[in-house]
Amino acid sequence: MTSLHRRTFILGGVAAAGALVLPARTALAAAPFPFKLGVASGEPAADSVVLWTRLAPSPLNADGQGGMANADVAVDWQVSATESFATLVASGTVTARYADAHSVHVVAGGLSPDAEYFYRFRAQGHVSAVGRTRTAPATGTFGRDLKMAFASCAHYESGYFTAYRRMAEDRPDLILHLGDYIYEDGATSGSVREHAGTAEIVSLADYRRRYAQYKSDPDLQAAHAIAPWLVVPDDHEVENNYATNVRADSSPALTAAQWTARRTAAYRAYYENMPLRPAQAPSGNSIPLFRRVRWGKLATFHMLDTRQFRDDQACGDGWKACGDADLSTRTLTGATQEAWLLDGLGQHLGTWDILGQQVFFARQFDASGAANMDAWDGYRASRSRIQQGWLDRSVRNPLVLTGDVHAAWANDLKADYASSGSATIGTELVCTSIASGGDGSATTTIPNASTNPHLKFYSARRGYTLATIGQSQVRADFRSVPLVTQHGAAVSTLKSFVILDGRPGLQAV
Ligand code: FE
Ligand code: CA
């Protein structure tokens, strides 16, 4: 979709006859192509969507400014119902500020519900690639079935982003990214491809350059250009396994003030580089990310933040048999977010209540009783309050979507994980990683299956999950690529399940 529309750009919403067509050849000479990070859209509502780009003709410059001079730049934007841009439904001009690393977040309004649109930008005499996006159905309507994909964990050095490319080729209506969009470690020689910068990223310039490097990837750009995204970060957008204001490791050594400054930089760069609404702009060392996005009567996405408000890992990081993980005072969400979530679940806004979140939700104990202290297993009372909360509110179809673990899983959620006959009260789908972990392996043997019979599927390959959401069922297709250490792997569906309306849990297809 990239090349067709670079030569002309119709300005100002004037359509067809009388349209002002930019003389492309004269303008093109002025500046190097600034749209090397692609385009993106996100946060679809029934009448609006966020359009994003960031100007960076030299993405890997160490100052994080992408080769842009210290000046603000006017950026024109257009939205059309057709890829030819013959007529415009919305357009305008926004300022890309040097202070924002020349990122822009346009809220394109006045759109029709449940509709497909195309958008593009122009700056410095150049026209961007064309992105496809769409709006949600109107409140009170179901709209068409929603073909949604979700993904996480794209370690650049571990492999190519083939899974992002294949996801784009599936042409989903919506993409959820559940965290680890970037990784913070420095370059490792011998990797499939190397991070820019030898040291772990710490400063605002470092984070900005890291996003620019990832966003230079054409497969990632294709995934952004195909559909609107809903994003939430996990730990690696800041640092591995951090909890609120507590670090999980001490490398590199940072004072408390330096750690606060690092989080501030990381959240700022995250906002700058994601198609988020201005309501999600950070304030100092916090960023307001938990939010609800409604998809008509069909679905409600409760996007969670399980990093900024959590207690520190019980008994430390890693897999532990840890009694403290049961403490009733422990929280993964914080009290405010927990109350907000339960209130939203109690409103029964749509057929499917979907929790878009980061870490493994179902119980997974190994034979010795150890569990992952970074996941909900380290915060069991917090999980119980949410599960009991949706039971108390008669939530019809709770569906938890998860990333983080670099493997695909499908899990029944249980009222009481310790009782084999306990009722299934919800469903969890866990996407594997885009690249983290490298090629993985072909095994589908479920780890710790004997102690966790509610865990129904596992794959150690890279990929993503498609969820086709209809009024009577959700169909989940676990999409898998056999390798990421070379370009161009084909994708296939390893396993599919359906979840029926009013009947929590996985059904075999
Ligand atoms: Fe990860
Ligand atoms: Ca993670």
Side-chain angles (χ1 to χ4, degrees), residues 13 41-52 77-81 88-94 105-119 121 133-136 277-278:
S41 71
E43 305 294 309
D47 62 351
S48 70
V49 67
V50 174
L51 310 178
W52 174 95
W77 58 272
Q78 296 180 328
V79 178
S80 176
L88 303 181
V89 296
S91 63
T93 301
V94 64
H105 298 76
V106 174
V107 180
L111 306 180
S112 299
D114 200 19
E116 179 181 66
Y117 290 102
F118 299 89
Y119 62 94
F121 298 91
T133 191
R134 55 160 301 153
T135 51
R277 286 184 184 266

Side-chain angles (χ1 to χ4, degrees), residues 29 107 376 401 439:
V107 180
W376 289 85
L401 305 182
D439 292 339

Side-chain angles (χ1 to χ4, degrees), residues 124-168:
Q124 299 184 319
H126 295 277
V127 179
S128 73
V130 173
R132 168 184 178 253
T133 191
R134 55 160 301 153
T135 51
T139 308
T141 70
F142 286 101
R144 293 166 281 178
D145 286 2
L146 170 61
K147 184 176 175 182
M148 184 266 287
F150 63 103
S152 72
C153 295
H155 195 291
Y156 184 88
E157 296 194 319
S158 302
Y160 297 105
F161 291 167
T162 310
Y164 278 143
R165 170 75 59 179
R166 301 296 173 241
M167 191 166 72

Side-chain angles (χ1 to χ4, degrees), residues 72 74 87 106 162 183 197 221 230 235 251 254 274 294 296 319 480:
D72 298 346
T87 60
V106 174
T162 310
Y183 283 75
Q221 289 185 15
L230 294 177
D235 51 342
S251 176
L254 299 174
M274 291 295 162
R294 296 181 63 179
W319 279 67
S480 176

Side-chain angles (χ1 to χ4, degrees), residues 153 179-180 183 234-236 240-241 307 359 374 404 406:
C153 295
D180 295 356
Y183 283 75
D234 190 25
D235 51 342
H236 288 287
N240 180 46
N241 283 7
R307 283 293 155 193
V359 291
D374 191 58
D404 184 53
H406 308 174

